[in-house]
């Protein structure tokens, strides 16, 4: 079963949506055939001042994306870059073993969004 914190983020996802004038975008997966996560970031003074996500995935993936965006908002790019799948799992209080892989989308999409910002900076 899912932890209460997972259900809370699944039922009421934080920062869902898109940022039209995003400074960086990271995409993991393929929207045409399976699990997919897109993360948008807005950066000011080397800090992520806004972050949103769009997802096609299971409740665990929605919850991990939601809590990741809460964890990242306001962090420096260096701090955000250091966030791992394990950090996300820990913040959620864990996931059922067969759902742990669902947390892998978040950190990877965030890294890609930061790289996309750095490349365009
Ligand atoms: Fe595919 Fe969770 S994202 S099973």
């Amino acid at each position: 079963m899912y932890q209460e914190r997972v259900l809370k983020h699944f039922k009421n996802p934080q920062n869902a949506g898109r940022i039209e004038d995003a400074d960086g975008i990271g995409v993991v997966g393929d929207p045409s055939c399976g699990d997919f996560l897109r993360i948008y970031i807005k950066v000011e003074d080397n800090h992520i001042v806004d972050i949103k996500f769009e997802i096609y995935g299971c409740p665990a993936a929605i919850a991990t994306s939601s809590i990741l965006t809460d964890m990242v908002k306001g962090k420096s790019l260096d701090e955000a870059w250091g966030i791992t799948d394990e950090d996300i799992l820990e913040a959620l209080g864990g996931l059922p073993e067969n759902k742990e892989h669902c947390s892998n989308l978040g950190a990877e999409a965030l890294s890609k969004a930061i790289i996309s910002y750095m490349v365009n900076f």
Side-chain angles (χ1 to χ4, degrees), residues 26-103:
V27 180
V28 177
D30 184 341
S32 66
C33 64
D35 301 334
F36 153 78
L37 172 62
R38 180 183 291 137
I39 284 186
Y40 304 83
I41 58 171
K42 200 76 189 147
V43 179
E44 283 175 23
D45 296 330
N46 224 33
H47 285 70
I48 296 178
V49 294
D50 198 10
I51 178 167
K52 292 198 180 296
F53 73 94
E54 295 175 312
I55 192 162
Y56 181 80
C58 71
I62 293 169
T64 55
S65 303
S66 170
I67 202 159
L68 170 67
T69 58
D70 271 355
M71 292 165 71
V72 164
K73 206 183 271 193
K75 289 233 178 349
S76 71
L77 291 172
D78 278 352
E79 291 169 328
W81 181 261
I83 292 175
T84 65
D85 301 336
E86 291 74 27
D87 295 331
I88 299 168
L89 276 176
E90 191 180 318
L92 278 174
L95 285 170
E97 200 176 317
N98 66 340
K99 287 290 182 179
E100 285 185 354
H101 70 279
C102 308
S103 69

Side-chain angles (χ1 to χ4, degrees), residues 4-16 53 59 62-67 69-70:
E4 194 55 41
R5 205 173 309 159
V6 177
L7 293 174
K8 183 179 142 222
H9 278 273
F10 167 59
K11 291 177 185 167
N12 186 22
Q14 305 298 296
N15 307 300
F53 73 94
I62 293 169
T64 55
S65 303
S66 170
I67 202 159
T69 58
D70 271 355

